Amino acid sequence: MTGVDGLARSRDVAAAAAAGASRRRLRRDARVVAMFAGLAVAIVIAALVSAAIGQYHLPLGAVADSVLHGLSGPLHLGAPIPDPFGEATLWQVRLPRIVMALLVGAALSCSGALLQGVFGNPLADPGVIGVSSGAALGASIAIVTGVGALGSFAIAGSAFTMGLAATVLIYALSRGSSRTETVTLVLTGIAVNAVCGAGVALCTYLGTQAQLDQIVFWQLGSLNGSQWGYVVTMLPLAAVGMIGAFALSRRLDLLALGDRSARHLGVDVERLRLVAIILAAATVAAAVAFSGIIAFVGLVVPHLLRAIVGPGHRVLLPMSALGGALLLVVADTVARNAIANVDLPIGMLTTFVGGPFFLWQLRRTRARAGGWA
């Protein structure tokens, strides 16, 4: 009887443990769903508030009605703003800028989370692969050579091309005989970033004062002058990049076990790293091509959310996209309204927040590790 009783007790303990694990999983899933819903609601509220406030104030209810009317199509829900100037301001100036803020913030943050997973380092960001510095060099060349006079799309195209080219160069230079080491890739990125920075400095030296001002303003980052054409151009690039990142989530989780373990589990580590870097580079290049350099979004948001939702990329990647979209809409609203009649560079605001956060995180990581090895 003792053996039977012991077996029964073991089964009871196993059943209780399974039930406890199931309850914990349900609580975790409920918390994740609540966070997704909360971020979505916060994005809608932040976007409506951003559309309403500015030098020309629009009633929040009228903004909501106009947006609902525009999105409902044949249903004709809501109503346009009675003031024609207010309606034009909303749809031709503010809404394109808000949608661009959502796209750029989501693209930068999702790419940051993707690169952090690839490099196995929570302090990695899109700047590591050289796409931002390459894009800055491309934009500077376009401005100084006069290509930028053909229109803003010419500058954006040059920035996008050079951003991708810098990433390809970094990957090619860091690749060994059969695989790419993360440390070598990061160090190569530092070198290429420095060369691109020198190229930007040369462009500022050779350019006129007007061109210098344009280069500096581009590097500070801004969503001023956003158009629906920019949105239509960037949307498919950002969508493909983020959907591709979501598709890699399971393999990124396996990569966290280490390259050797991931290979044993059937992951082609080198191919995964290459695909992830290309996706991140294309997504970030599309973002910075139209907004300039907006620093730290790809570092701060994924890092904070990882501490809340855990390292699982199936949740972290889409959560980072929503968090980045919310952050940049709020930051752009502050940039437009913090000082009367002044449109502050949004990249400056994100750096003011992200720089101290990065330093704090470095000190925190060092304290946990007991010093650097």
Side-chain angles (χ1 to χ4, degrees):
M1 294 295 293
T2 303
V4 174
D5 291 342
L7 181 60
R9 282 197 296 271
S10 298
R11 290 176 177 174
D12 291 341
V13 170
S22 178
R23 286 193 296 270
R24 287 192 296 271
R25 185 166 56 254
L26 289 174
R27 286 197 296 268
R28 185 185 66 237
D29 292 345
R31 184 180 65 177
V32 169
V33 170
M35 286 193 63
F36 272 116
L39 282 174
V41 171
I43 287 172
V44 172
I45 294 173
L48 290 176
V49 171
S50 180
I53 63 176
Q55 296 182 26
Y56 186 82
H57 178 74
L58 298 173
L60 186 60
V63 169
D65 280 344
S66 181
V67 172
L68 182 62
H69 180 77
L71 297 179
S72 63
L75 298 178
H76 299 298
L77 302 176
I81 297 176
D83 179 9
F85 182 76
E87 181 77 357
T89 299
L90 175 65
W91 284 95
Q92 301 303 321
V93 179
R94 292 186 185 170
L95 286 182
R97 180 165 179 164
I98 291 169
V99 176
M100 279 298 294
L102 293 172
L103 289 175
V104 171
L108 293 177
S109 185
C110 184
S111 298
L114 177 61
L115 291 176
Q116 289 172 13
V118 168
F119 294 133
N121 189 333
L123 296 181
D125 78 329
V128 171
I129 57 175
V131 61
S132 297
S133 59
L137 178 58
S140 300
I141 292 174
I143 292 171
V144 171
T145 58
V147 174
L150 299 177
S152 54
F153 274 100
I155 297 177
S158 179
F160 180 82
T161 303
M162 285 297 293
L164 286 181
T167 301
V168 172
L169 178 63
I170 289 172
Y171 184 83
L173 292 176
S174 62
R175 181 175 171 81
S177 58
S178 60
R179 62 192 181 93
T180 303
E181 295 181 351
T182 300
V183 174
T184 304
L185 193 147
V186 171
L187 293 176
T188 305
I190 293 173
V192 173
N193 283 337
V195 173
C196 290
V200 173
L202 178 62
C203 289
T204 59
Y205 180 79
L206 297 176
T208 64
Q209 184 61 45
Q211 292 171 338
L212 172 60
D213 293 341
Q214 192 174 0
I215 291 173
V216 171
F217 185 77
W218 192 93
Q219 290 187 86
L220 290 175
S222 176
L223 295 170
N224 189 24
S226 295
Q227 307 169 15
W228 286 118
Y230 297 174
V231 173
V232 172
T233 302
M234 182 187 168
L235 180 60
L237 295 172
V240 169
M242 288 188 285
I243 292 172
F246 300 157
L248 298 178
S249 58
R250 180 179 175 276
R251 279 170 283 178
L252 289 173
D253 290 341
L254 296 178
L255 188 61
L257 302 174
D259 288 4
R260 179 174 298 180
S261 298
R263 289 191 185 97
H264 288 320
L265 294 171
V267 177
D268 187 339
V269 174
E270 188 63 26
R271 182 180 179 182
L272 172 62
R273 188 167 285 132
L274 174 61
V275 171
I277 289 174
I278 291 176
L279 285 174
T283 307
V284 174
V288 300
F290 292 107
S291 66
I293 298 177
I294 300 177
F296 288 104
V297 175
L299 169 65
V300 173
V301 175
H303 195 86
L304 288 177
L305 289 174
R306 182 180 286 102
I308 298 173
V309 301
H313 291 86
R314 184 175 61 89
V315 174
L316 180 61
L317 286 170
M319 194 79 76
S320 295
L322 291 178
L326 176 61
L327 173 64
L328 212 58
V329 167
V330 173
D332 186 57
T333 304
V334 174
R336 288 194 295 110
N337 297 282
I339 302 176
N341 302 318
V342 173
D343 196 333
L344 295 174
I346 191 171
M348 180 182 67
L349 294 180
T350 58
T351 302
F352 266 129
V353 175
F357 173 84
F358 185 72
L359 292 174
W360 170 77
Q361 189 59 41
L362 282 178
R363 290 179 60 86
R364 184 166 174 260
T365 303
R366 183 179 182 183
R368 283 184 173 182
W372 300 115

